[in-house]
Amino acid sequence: SKGVLDILIDLKKHSKNIFIIRGNNEDVLLKTLKKSEERIVKLANRYDIVSLFNFEGRRIELKKRYRKFFKKTFHYIETDSFLAVHAGFDFKSEDPFCDTYSMLWIRNFKSKKKAQQNKPVIHGHKITSFKEIIKAVKKEKLDIPIDNGCVLGSKNEKFGRLICLDFTHKEIIWQKNIDQEIYSML
């Protein structure tokens, strides 16, 4: 949403230690910008992101602030301790660190200790139960999923959390999806 993007943009202004990983939805947005204006409008309406665009003048354009932000996202990041990516890596690929399609879309990847340099891969994209996420962090697995399906809402105890992993302290910070609770009060 525009609000989340604005927060991230402002955070990046004040810290050099914030790295934003591009996901499949951001990639779809960037690719759609190269298509017809009709497709841009459909995408903006479908995902309720109309406020990210300028509709003045001859062309529909993503506002400069957001265009700059998305272009500075990373397909993956590597630290001394871990790899972070939206979806995962295809370690069967000749060069998995150049395979951006897999980084954005793969659902089932197999960890490869040597290819990962013994570093865990922290990733989202594939909805995983809260119990499995906790287990992966506690056991320091090479594959650490952090997508608990926040978008699904909070009806099911296994899913519906927005997950943050403090890798340094091996601590999971989470927030249940509050949107459904707000809507149910209306």
Side-chain angles (χ1 to χ4, degrees):
S1 73
K2 181 183 181 301
V4 171
L5 292 174
D6 289 338
I7 289 169
L8 292 173
I9 290 167
D10 290 342
L11 283 172
K12 281 196 65 65
K13 284 181 186 174
H14 301 292
S15 176
K16 293 179 182 176
N17 293 322
I18 295 175
F19 304 92
I20 309 294
I21 295 173
R22 183 180 299 182
N24 59 306
N25 292 317
E26 293 82 11
D27 197 58
V28 166
L29 173 65
L30 292 172
K31 287 180 178 167
T32 302
L33 295 175
K34 297 174 185 173
K35 309 278 183 185
S36 72
E37 289 192 356
E38 180 182 330
R39 288 183 82 179
I40 294 169
V41 171
K42 280 183 183 177
L43 179 91
N45 285 320
R46 179 177 178 197
Y47 293 104
D48 197 23
I49 56 172
V50 172
S51 60
L52 301 180
F53 292 87
N54 285 322
F55 288 92
E56 304 158 7
R58 294 182 164 191
R59 288 196 73 226
I60 298 170
E61 293 182 326
L62 186 63
K63 291 177 182 174
K64 186 178 180 181
R65 171 182 175 94
Y66 305 111
R67 192 172 54 245
K68 275 178 64 178
F69 172 79
F70 286 126
K71 287 187 177 188
K72 289 184 179 180
T73 57
F74 296 88
H75 283 95
Y76 76 98
I77 59 169
E78 180 176 6
T79 72
D80 293 338
S81 307
F82 63 86
L83 296 159
V85 64
H86 173 72
F89 296 100
D90 181 359
F91 289 116
K92 294 176 191 167
S93 163
E94 193 174 302
D95 190 351
F97 299 104
C98 288
D99 180 2
T100 57
Y101 181 84
S102 293
M103 291 178 209
L104 298 167
W105 292 99
I106 199 168
R107 290 233 183 249
N108 298 305
F109 73 95
K110 301 281 186 234
S111 294
K112 296 272 191 201
K113 199 173 190 176
K114 187 176 178 182
Q116 294 172 223
Q117 300 165 13
N118 208 27
K119 297 177 186 180
V121 174
I122 301 167
H123 65 91
H125 193 65
K126 182 180 178 188
I127 296 173
T128 306
S129 76
F130 193 51
K131 187 177 180 178
E132 288 179 64
I133 293 169
I134 291 169
K135 183 178 164 184
V137 173
K138 281 185 178 178
K139 292 192 174 195
E140 298 184 11
K141 292 190 170 193
L142 285 175
D143 171 4
I144 301 179
I146 60 170
D147 185 342
N148 187 236
C150 186
V151 70
L152 299 176
S154 57
K155 291 182 178 179
N156 184 323
E157 200 51 41
K158 294 179 182 179
F159 305 102
R161 294 167 185 83
L162 181 63
I163 303 286
C164 175
L165 174 61
D166 175 347
F167 191 77
T168 304
H169 299 100
K170 305 293 188 271
E171 181 181 8
I172 296 172
I173 301 137
W174 58 272
Q175 169 65 52
K176 282 292 258 179
N177 179 321
I178 60 171
D179 287 342
Q180 284 194 328
E181 293 162 19
I182 291 169
Y183 293 128
S184 67
M185 289 187 277
L186 299 175

